[in-house]
Amino acid sequence: MPVPGYRDAPALPWQPEATVDSAEAAEFIRRVHTDQPGLGPAEPRLAEVAAEIAATGTYTHTPAELTHGARLAWRNASRCIGRLYWKSLVVRDRRHVTGADEIFSEVVDHLRTAGDRDRKVIRPVITIFAPAGPRKPYARIWNEQLVRYAGYRRPDGSVLGDPRYVDFTTAMAERGWQGKREAFDVLPVVVQTPGDGVRVFDLPDDAVWEVPLAHPDLPWFGDLNLRWHAVPAISNMRLSIGGVNYPLAPFNGWYLGTEIGGRNLADADRYNLLPLIAKLMGLDTGTERSLWRDRALIELNRAVLWSFDRAGARISDHHTESRHFITHCAKEEKAGRVVPADWTWIVPPVSGGITPVFHRYYAEIDQRPNFYLDEDARDLATSGRPQLHRPSPRPSPRPHQHALHQHPQPARCPARGRVPTPRLPLRPAVPQSR
Ligand code: ARG
């Protein structure tokens, strides 16, 4: 039985118009009162919630419920290796904000709070906007993350920028957005609200912290002019708390180096930089036996970690974060809880077998509160176009990296690797010659 949210299994289809499930609501309220004895007994609140659901089909979370619910959703996010810090999530309650301009300005504030370049801190933050519900049209953001880079298809079929966002970029151009046509052009943010329709906003430069990449001992690396944004902020997942759904609740943590060095810049269908780096390192790319891919991959990952450290932008390495995840598991087990986790996402895409998370299995269960990626939200984030006639939910052809999540991979046998084969005629985003 495929478990929703694991591997290729989609989230359970969501009906925005449906009445809140009272059992799920009650279970959540009890959980909050058990975890936070200061709130007093659950019974009065349970009665209140039941009455509100009976009258309106939904109920309104108290600020304490909202905050705890969001933290529990993080704790239950099976693809996230960084859950040791779940209690530190900063929750911004913006349920009253509904206009597109106001939503966008909150998004900008979110990014400034999450990545504070002056103080050199990155904090995990979530901004929660109004929930969906019966007869309640809701706002959403189309983008997969608040900060992402455009991709432009060249006449010869190769791509400048991030190939993942070629269609999204085209759709934005059709709406009149103009990029600089460079390898790291920050895409605009699309806010859709019931009142204002679809609006496209450019992020102000000071809200986007970017880290230029260089290498501690390969002097030419800096000349590649690579960079990456410091704050990964997922913006198209639905936060589900006690039966109430928040389709617009962007959240961020800080990066694990391998997300950038092992996937975004390395994947053959993303920036595909390994062949270029190997060539510049003088490695023999004519044979797999030189392990040129692996050697280039390691130096790319060193560059990412070194550059983020140099910039004062918080980043984890996969060895440390793997140990922290094991600590998290031990803490949770001690508290009598299971840790839902998806091995295929938890194990880092670089040096998996030499991290402790590789050497065990995890409970594959769907626990709420949680974050869910709906099919239409996923399509919208790469296509930039609403699909009018969508077939019933189906698994994506190939999992892609997402969310709290650090790397998606096809379900695979741990003993075999995945050899990246370019699917498109890709050219690195940067010039081949020095
Ligand atoms: N893997 C995604 C990316 O590379 C980010 C997912 C969230 N990651 C995180 N560390 N919270 O952009």
Side-chain angles (χ1 to χ4, degrees), residues 145 148 228-229 232 234 252-256 259-260 264 401-407:
Q145 290 193 33
R148 295 273 85 179
W228 203 257
H229 56 92
I234 303 297
N252 74 280
W254 57 85
Y255 261 116
L256 178 63
E259 299 184 84
I260 305 168
N264 300 343
Q401 67 204 94
H402 223 284
L404 292 167
H405 315 157
Q406 46 113 3
H407 76 286

Side-chain angles (χ1 to χ4, degrees), residues 40-304:
E43 282 64 30
R45 179 62 182 144
L46 283 168
E48 208 173 82
V49 167
E52 199 179 336
I53 295 176
T56 68
T58 185
Y59 68 107
T60 307
H61 287 132
T62 63
E65 289 161 3
L66 191 73
T67 298
H68 196 56
R71 291 178 178 160
L72 293 183
W74 183 7
R75 197 177 78 195
N76 285 331
S78 59
R79 294 169 165 186
C80 177
I81 194 175
R83 284 177 275 166
L84 178 61
Y85 319 94
W86 66 274
K87 283 184 190 156
S88 70
L89 181 63
V90 175
V91 179
R92 301 173 72 233
D93 179 358
R94 296 295 184 275
R95 286 176 289 177
H96 54 281
V97 176
T98 51
D101 291 312
E102 292 74 23
I103 289 176
F104 179 69
S105 119
E106 288 295 343
V107 157
V108 170
D109 285 352
H110 176 129
L111 283 173
R112 290 189 181 125
T113 311
D116 186 336
R117 221 178 316 192
D118 302 330
R119 294 212 180 90
K120 303 220 182 298
V121 292
I122 296 182
R123 351 178 144 82
V125 176
I126 185 167
T127 303
I128 305 176
F129 294 96
R135 295 169 305 283
K136 264 199 190 167
Y138 54 91
R140 63 175 6 175
I141 283 180
W142 288 10
N143 309 56
E144 177 166 64
Q145 290 193 33
L146 299 180
V147 182
R148 295 273 85 179
Y149 296 119
Y152 307 92
R153 173 125 18 235
R154 300 189 183 96
D156 67 356
S158 66
V159 170
L160 169 70
D162 194 338
R164 182 166 172 77
Y165 299 106
V166 165
D167 293 341
F168 193 92
T169 305
T170 308
M172 292 308 111
E174 285 167 13
R175 289 182 178 274
W177 177 79
Q178 277 234 324
K180 286 180 292 215
R181 290 195 87 88
E182 288 172 3
F184 299 95
D185 277 358
V186 175
L187 282 166
V189 173
V190 183
V191 180
Q192 180 174 17
T193 68
D196 297 318
V198 178
R199 301 272 311 274
V200 177
F201 296 92
D202 265 316
L203 286 166
D205 289 345
D206 74 301
V208 184
W209 185 356
E210 292 186 287
V211 177
L213 302 185
H215 189 282
D217 24 71
L218 300 172
W220 47 263
F221 199 101
D223 302 335
L224 295 174
N225 286 319
L226 304 174
R227 59 177 194 259
W228 203 257
H229 56 92
V231 177
I234 303 297
S235 41
N236 67 340
M237 290 184 85
R238 165 172 54 91
L239 168 62
S240 177
I241 301 177
V244 177
N245 288 286
Y246 298 90
L248 183 49
F251 60 86
N252 74 280
W254 57 85
Y255 261 116
L256 178 63
T258 56
E259 299 184 84
I260 305 168
R263 299 297 311 274
N264 300 343
L265 295 177
D267 273 7
D269 57 0
R270 299 290 299 286
Y271 280 81
N272 191 28
L273 285 163
L274 300 184
L276 173 64
I277 292 170
K279 217 173 89 197
L280 294 171
M281 286 172 69
L283 304 177
D284 180 359
T285 55
T287 166
E288 293 297 350
R289 318 303 283 232
S290 68
L291 297 185
W292 61 268
R293 294 180 201 276
D294 313 67
R295 296 181 61 190
L297 181 65
I298 295 304
E299 297 314 328
L300 173 55
N301 277 275
R302 280 184 74 200
V304 168

Side-chain angles (χ1 to χ4, degrees), residues 320-333:
T320 308
E321 206 54 50
S322 293
R323 282 202 310 274
H324 287 180
F325 185 69
I326 297 293
T327 304
H328 171 66
C329 293
K331 268 179 119 168
E332 288 296 293
E333 277 150 32

Side-chain angles (χ1 to χ4, degrees), residues 321-380:
E321 206 54 50
S322 293
R323 282 202 310 274
H324 287 180
F325 185 69
I326 297 293
T327 304
H328 171 66
C329 293
K331 268 179 119 168
E332 288 296 293
E333 277 150 32
K334 216 169 142 205
R337 297 189 287 255
V338 282
V339 178
D342 186 337
W343 192 101
T344 66
W345 280 59
I346 295 296
V347 173
V350 177
S351 305
I354 51 173
T355 66
V357 292
F358 179 96
H359 299 275
R360 52 165 291 179
Y361 290 118
Y362 304 93
E364 299 201 349
I365 45 169
D366 178 28
Q367 278 185 171
R368 293 187 194 176
N370 215 324
F371 294 98
Y372 295 98
L373 179 59
D374 296 309
E375 285 285 300
D376 55 338
R378 164 162 43 206
D379 288 348
L380 210 42

